[in-house]
Amino acid sequence: MDILALIGEQRLAEAAEKGELSNLAGEGQPLPEDDISPLVPPEQRMAWRILKNAGYLPPELEARREAVQLAMTLADAEGDALSRGLKRLALLNQRLTEVGLPPVSAEGAYGAKLLRRLER
């Protein structure tokens, strides 16, 4: 154990002995679920959490968000706008597939169900 971990452990033990860690909000309740994907390597989780808390998304999740928003707008698009939107959605889906995320589709019964769910 390195020196910083030892100092941290000592201070936690001292605070617990003094009773400074009792009667805190949420005491006795389970910790909130970790919303970082289990597929993220452990050494990258802290960086992802910091970026998430700062309001930034990893590029693959930014592409997913853009694809979902595009799929929602394509439901009402027609003509040239629909054609350009479908090409952009295909490009985004290709990027998502490359990083192992499922593609976004706005076609068929599944697409309609997905759009209704996302609109809530």
Side-chain angles (χ1 to χ4, degrees):
M1 199 180 273
D2 66 347
I3 188 70
L4 292 178
L6 287 172
I7 292 171
E9 290 294 327
Q10 283 179 335
R11 293 205 178 157
L12 282 173
E14 290 170 5
E17 287 176 15
K18 293 178 185 175
E20 295 174 357
L21 299 179
S22 57
N23 297 324
L24 296 175
E27 182 178 6
Q29 297 176 1
L31 293 173
E33 287 188 30
D34 190 7
D35 57 350
I36 303 297
S37 170
L39 300 177
V40 174
E43 63 274 6
Q44 292 183 1
R45 288 177 186 238
M46 183 59 68
W48 277 53
R49 187 171 287 109
I50 290 170
L51 289 172
K52 180 186 157 289
N53 290 342
Y56 293 98
L57 285 177
E60 55 269 16
L61 294 184
E62 187 65 44
R64 176 123 180 111
R65 179 170 62 180
E66 184 182 347
V68 168
Q69 289 173 344
L70 181 59
M72 290 173 61
T73 59
L74 288 178
D76 298 325
E78 296 178 359
D80 193 40
L82 178 62
S83 175
R84 284 192 317 266
L86 288 173
K87 288 178 184 177
R88 177 73 181 150
L89 185 60
L91 175 66
L92 291 170
N93 279 333
Q94 181 181 359
R95 288 183 188 166
L96 293 174
T97 304
E98 287 172 358
V99 296
L101 293 174
V104 174
S105 173
E107 299 173 359
Y110 176 75
K113 183 178 178 182
L114 174 67
L115 290 175
R116 281 194 305 273
R117 184 174 179 199
L118 291 173
E119 288 174 349
R120 287 190 228 153

